Amino acid sequence: MPTSDSTLQMIVKGAFIHLTEFAHIATKQYLCECNPPCNAIIISMSIKTIPLQQAIQWIARAAAADGVISPSERKVLSEFAKAYELDAAKIIRLAYGFSNDYEQEVVAVAPAELKGTRFEEFVVSLCSDKSHFKLLAWRGDKISGNTYAIDTLMPDLHIRHKIDDRVVDYFIECKYRSSWGKDDAIDLSPQFVRYYNAAKDNGIELFIALGVGGTPSNPEEFFLIPGRMVKLDKQIDRVRFVKCRCPKTPAGFQQYIAHYFNKRIFLKQNE
């Protein structure tokens, strides 16, 4: 039965393994009693209940069930191996071996679109601290001929951010490029004017998250540029915007945004 990353996620704690599926493999199971209830199943783990080798086979098959081993599934396999002092590389190779036994679910995705998705995932990972951030919208460019949702015309991300005792909303449009263009500049898409106007109409800020070089999941350079600095020029010059380089960590991202609003927005509102 195919599984998603979310059903495979687990936390190993001592003699217990916390699952959301596949409870049938254990002889002892009971509902989690956490508050609020998560409806998960706690499975009593011991050598007598599930031999370690059987658990390795099971988790490798679960990761391979859709025919593709995703980065999230590789991470789970690595965490499992670390918890039980096993060789993560061998378990991951085992999962890839099992993946050949299943019919793969193939979706044709253009390389540029895949890079864009990976970079969006990178940016979203920087907003993962729920004590500061709430992801209100994550839009995809889903268009069939001339048919598309109005929401598709908006920037990629809509973030709600708690900064001290204030809460602000803003848009982020994500752009990844493998290298700088001529004269160390990058042209934005023609849609930038639409995104700029959408932010203006909603009375919120727009940021351009730009990754250059490296990989979409770990760009060599990462910029977070206020849309009001770009305005309608539709071009990002490396030298001009070097001051907009943003740390590639959740804490650095949070501090960068907080600094911008404290210095550029809140002070003007208080004048």
Side-chain angles (χ1 to χ4, degrees):
M1 178 174 58
T3 183
S4 64
D5 293 350
S6 61
T7 61
L8 187 58
Q9 295 300 318
M10 57 182 63
I11 303 172
V12 177
K13 295 182 178 179
F16 294 96
I17 189 164
H18 192 174
L19 303 168
T20 57
E21 201 171 15
F22 308 109
H24 60 279
I25 65 172
T27 58
K28 297 181 181 179
Q29 61 186 50
Y30 51 94
L31 288 177
C32 175
E33 297 178 354
C34 64
N35 186 22
C38 65
N39 295 324
I41 294 174
I42 304 298
I43 298 177
S44 177
M45 289 287 289
S46 68
I47 298 300
K48 291 182 179 179
T49 302
I50 303 178
L52 184 57
Q53 190 60 38
Q54 182 180 341
I56 293 171
Q57 294 276 328
W58 167 77
I59 193 173
R61 285 188 180 277
D66 60 356
V68 178
I69 312 299
S70 72
S72 295
E73 288 166 335
R74 288 198 298 271
K75 180 180 179 182
V76 169
L77 293 173
S78 296
E79 290 174 350
F80 177 85
K82 182 179 179 181
Y84 287 97
E85 299 180 352
L86 302 171
D87 188 332
K90 289 183 178 179
I91 297 178
I92 292 173
R93 285 199 298 271
L94 180 64
Y96 274 107
F98 285 141
S99 70
N100 294 327
D101 297 335
Y102 296 91
E103 180 180 352
Q104 294 193 10
E105 299 174 355
V106 179
V107 179
V109 180
E113 182 180 345
L114 184 59
K115 287 181 179 180
T117 299
R118 292 288 177 262
F119 182 62
E120 288 176 18
E121 292 172 351
F122 163 75
V123 176
V124 168
S125 73
L126 301 179
C127 312
S128 58
D129 185 348
K130 293 184 179 180
S131 66
H132 289 288
F133 299 99
K134 180 179 289 186
L135 181 60
L136 300 182
W138 186 353
R139 304 176 179 92
D141 299 326
K142 294 180 174 61
I143 301 175
S144 178
N146 293 322
T147 303
Y148 52 84
I150 296 298
D151 203 45
T152 301
L153 304 178
M154 303 292 282
D156 294 320
L157 308 176
H158 185 178
I159 305 294
R160 179 161 293 163
H161 190 165
K162 186 175 184 293
I163 302 174
D164 297 326
D165 59 344
R166 301 190 189 219
V167 176
V168 296
D169 282 15
Y170 49 85
F171 291 142
I172 300 179
E173 177 62 17
C174 303
K175 298 293 179 187
Y176 173 79
R177 298 292 184 270
S178 57
S179 63
W180 290 94
K182 185 179 179 182
D183 299 325
D184 272 356
I186 288 177
D187 291 324
L188 295 177
S189 66
Q191 288 83 7
F192 171 73
V193 175
R194 184 173 69 237
Y195 301 146
Y196 177 84
N197 289 332
K200 187 176 180 181
D201 291 344
N202 283 273
I204 63 177
E205 293 293 306
L206 168 69
F207 293 92
I208 306 298
L210 174 66
V212 182
T215 65
S217 299
N218 184 25
E220 181 178 350
E221 296 181 277
F222 177 55
F223 298 78
L224 198 60
I225 303 171
R228 61 175 64 201
M229 289 182 65
V230 181
K231 295 187 177 178
L232 303 183
D233 297 342
K234 295 185 292 186
Q235 188 176 69
I236 295 177
D237 180 272
R238 187 181 192 181
V239 175
R240 179 187 172 195
F241 291 105
V242 67
K243 59 185 177 182
C244 295
R245 280 183 177 172
C246 178
K248 297 186 292 182
T249 63
F253 181 89
Q254 200 283 128
Q255 292 170 6
Y256 180 100
I257 293 286
H259 176 80
Y260 173 80
F261 276 94
N262 282 323
K263 297 295 184 181
R264 303 292 181 181
I265 306 300
F266 296 157
L267 280 180
K268 292 183 178 180
Q269 292 176 350
N270 294 331
E271 291 176 354

